Amino acid sequence: NAGVTQTPKFQVLKTGQSMTLQCAQDMNHEYMSWYRQDPGMGLRLIHYSVGAGITDQGEVPNGYNVSRSTTEDFPLRLLSAAPSQTSVYFCASRTTGSNQPQHFGDGTRLSIL
Amino acid sequence: AQRVTQPEKLLSVFKGAPVELKCNYSYSGSPELFWYVQYSRQRLQLLLRHISRESIKGFTADLNKGETSFHLKKPFAQEEDSAMYYCALSPNAGGTSYGKLTFGQGTILTVHP
């Protein structure tokens, strides 16, 4: 199993551009999440999904959209990139039930100029 | 809303010395608590979860509900323990957590030879 796969690993955008960060998992996990990691702030939840067709906002959702058309995929869309969105983005998935750990991807390092 | 605090951004110890990474939380219900570790150039991975009460790589963590703490301890630090450590909390309301993690700010542990 590949686990959680994120693409691309690195990306540079200009302010105002849009792009999609891809995330796929092959563990048949119901729950998937997107986090951003910023120095001194830990990881913060952007959006999450509890199953295909169901998404909800996390702590810092503004400027991002998500959809969950299949169990495997959970793409994150930046609608109009801003320098404040420069960050490292992590996708995670986990199975249902209590106290189950999250499985993380390698991350996408995104720079907005 | 829940909150996780890791008061030390940086922690340096010498090899063989004891190490304690502090984590305090605030949450009105029964939380699910985790420690995640991120080694250099690797993805975030689970180290411990409070429900397991196990020792991983010599690390242990005890949930103290009275002090709302979940400190990570190791009696004899090794150089390979150098990494970023995150304490994380998932709310558990009536047995359903949805996997939404709230992270602390992280502690960078450096173990000197």
Side-chain angles (χ1 to χ4, degrees), chain A residues 2 8 11 15-16 24 34 39 43 45 51 55 61 67 70 80 82-83 85 88 93 96 98 102:
Chain A
Q11 184 71 49
T15 297
W34 275 103
L43 281 78
L45 182 66
T55 63
S67 60
T70 66
S80 178
Q85 294 177 303
V88 181
S93 73
T96 57
S98 298
Q102 298 268 10

Side-chain angles (χ1 to χ4, degrees), chain B residues 30-59:
Chain B
S30 294
E32 301 173 0
L33 285 158
F34 305 86
W35 276 98
Y36 284 85
V37 60
Q38 188 176 29
Y39 300 103
S40 179
R41 304 185 194 283
Q42 294 187 27
R43 62 179 63 183
L44 209 64
Q45 56 187 282
L46 176 72
L47 180 62
L48 285 175
R49 44 184 167 170
H50 88 272
I51 197 71
S52 302
R53 303 178 69 83
E54 57 195 344
S55 174
I56 303 293
K57 299 184 179 182
F59 286 98

Side-chain angles (χ1 to χ4, degrees), chain A:
Chain A
N1 286 351
V4 179
T5 303
Q6 290 184 237
T7 56
K9 292 194 184 310
F10 303 95
Q11 184 71 49
V12 178
L13 293 177
K14 294 181 179 179
T15 297
Q17 286 184 313
S18 63
M19 81 159 293
T20 300
L21 307 186
Q22 301 291 344
C23 176
Q25 53 94 7
D26 60 0
M27 297 172 282
N28 203 32
H29 286 169
E30 288 296 317
Y31 299 162
M32 295 187 75
S33 310
W34 275 103
Y35 297 86
R36 58 178 289 173
Q37 182 186 38
D38 300 293
M41 304 189 75
L43 281 78
R44 292 178 293 168
L45 182 66
I46 305 172
H47 285 284
Y48 69 100
S49 169
V50 298
I54 307 171
T55 63
D56 205 347
Q57 296 181 349
E59 182 184 352
V60 288
N62 292 343
Y64 308 94
N65 273 359
V66 290
S67 60
R68 185 94 180 272
S69 57
T70 66
T71 299
E72 294 78 18
D73 300 299
F74 191 43
L76 178 72
R77 297 182 186 84
L78 279 71
L79 309 173
S80 178
S84 61
Q85 294 177 303
T86 294
S87 188
V88 181
Y89 292 85
F90 288 97
C91 180
S93 73
R94 54 158 278 183
T95 187
T96 57
S98 298
N99 294 292
Q100 298 301 314
Q102 298 268 10
H103 297 259
F104 286 86
D106 286 331
T108 295
R109 189 174 296 273
L110 184 62
S111 294
I112 315 295
L113 305 178

Side-chain angles (χ1 to χ4, degrees), chain B residues 53-73:
Chain B
R53 303 178 69 83
E54 57 195 344
S55 174
I56 303 293
K57 299 184 179 182
F59 286 98
T60 58
D62 290 320
L63 175 59
N64 186 323
K65 290 187 177 181
E67 296 183 358
T68 59
S69 67
F70 188 55
H71 302 328
L72 183 68
K73 300 177 184 178

